[in-house]
Amino acid sequence: MAESPNLSEPPGEGDRGEGRVRWRRFALLTVPAVAVTAGLGIALAQGALAASFAVSGQQFKVSAKSLEGEGFAQYGSVDVNAREELIPVAVTAIKEAKLHSLCQSVVTTLPVIGDISLNLTAGQKDPVEASNLFVDATQLSGDAVFSNIEIGRDASTLDKGPAEAVGLQDLFAQQADTVTIANLQQTAWATNAGTFKLSGLSMNISKGKKECF
């Protein structure tokens, strides 16, 4: 009886000549990429990604003389824009926050007109107050002090920040009972808050580039 053909390998597996696809190696390389894409798709469907809305194509800058927060959590995630492109961010979540001398700016470049700056300031006397604050940032700097900080915690097990402040399992995260940041500067794609009280709010639009820092 003739020997049955070997069906365990696709045709060409035994041919190692140039121009041939090594199917097993191809599968090993593509499976992780497919798994990551599928995982992000599931996370997006479950609302586990960062911002709950499609972010714009522009980042904005935020600065404050100081920030004082209770219930701090930080973890990696992704935002999604209107083109359904994924944007990596670091989510900073705080249960209760107070910001002194808040500044927010965004610069838009328009045809013919050129740069247009929108500037918002608040909290010069009484601090800006926010509850369940989420900031999806790509850059943050300042002089920070944390109390009872946990670094390297699984993002899916966070419990010190807002209830919704959890990331995907196996991802790096950190959390603390309180946080104080002096001379805060950050660049972000999105901000969410349960409540946002801005005392002494002032908004201004001007030509040219005028940013908080």
Side-chain angles (χ1 to χ4, degrees), residues 127-157:
V128 170
E129 299 179 4
S131 64
N132 295 328
L133 176 66
F134 288 78
V135 180
D136 303 350
T138 55
Q139 174 271 332
L140 184 150
S141 64
D143 301 314
V145 177
F146 302 91
S147 65
N148 297 322
I149 190 169
E150 299 173 356
I151 301 174
R153 183 163 178 145
D154 188 297
S156 67
T157 68

Side-chain angles (χ1 to χ4, degrees), residues 15 39 61-62 99 120 136 148 162 166:
D15 190 339
K61 293 185 176 182
V62 176
L99 299 99
L120 180 152
D136 303 350
N148 297 322
V166 292

Side-chain angles (χ1 to χ4, degrees), residues 25-83:
R25 182 176 298 177
F26 176 77
L28 289 174
L29 291 174
T30 57
V31 166
V34 172
V36 170
T37 302
L40 291 174
I42 293 172
L44 180 60
Q46 295 176 343
L49 300 188
S52 58
F53 52 85
V55 300
S56 74
Q58 294 178 279
Q59 295 191 75
F60 56 92
K61 293 185 176 182
V62 176
S63 67
K65 184 177 181 180
S66 65
L67 177 150
E68 302 162 0
E70 295 183 3
F72 167 87
Q74 191 173 63
Y75 53 95
S77 189
V78 291
D79 283 342
V80 182
N81 62 22
R83 300 177 187 273

Side-chain angles (χ1 to χ4, degrees), residues 3-18:
E3 185 178 347
S4 298
N6 184 357
L7 299 180
S8 62
E9 298 179 356
E13 176 66 23
D15 190 339
R16 302 300 184 186
E18 293 184 2

Side-chain angles (χ1 to χ4, degrees), residues 77-117:
S77 189
V78 291
D79 283 342
V80 182
N81 62 22
R83 300 177 187 273
E84 297 186 353
E85 297 169 334
L86 301 180
I87 302 169
V89 295
V91 177
T92 298
I94 303 175
K95 277 187 178 180
E96 300 291 338
K98 292 183 179 180
L99 299 99
H100 300 265
S101 299
L102 173 70
C103 173
Q104 177 179 305
S105 65
V106 61
V107 178
T108 301
T109 302
L110 300 176
V112 182
I113 297 177
D115 291 335
I116 299 293
S117 297

Side-chain angles (χ1 to χ4, degrees), residues 99-102 121-128 197-201:
L99 299 99
H100 300 265
S101 299
L102 173 70
T121 59
Q124 304 299 326
K125 294 183 179 179
D126 297 323
V128 170
K197 180 181 177 182
L198 297 98
S199 61
L201 172 64

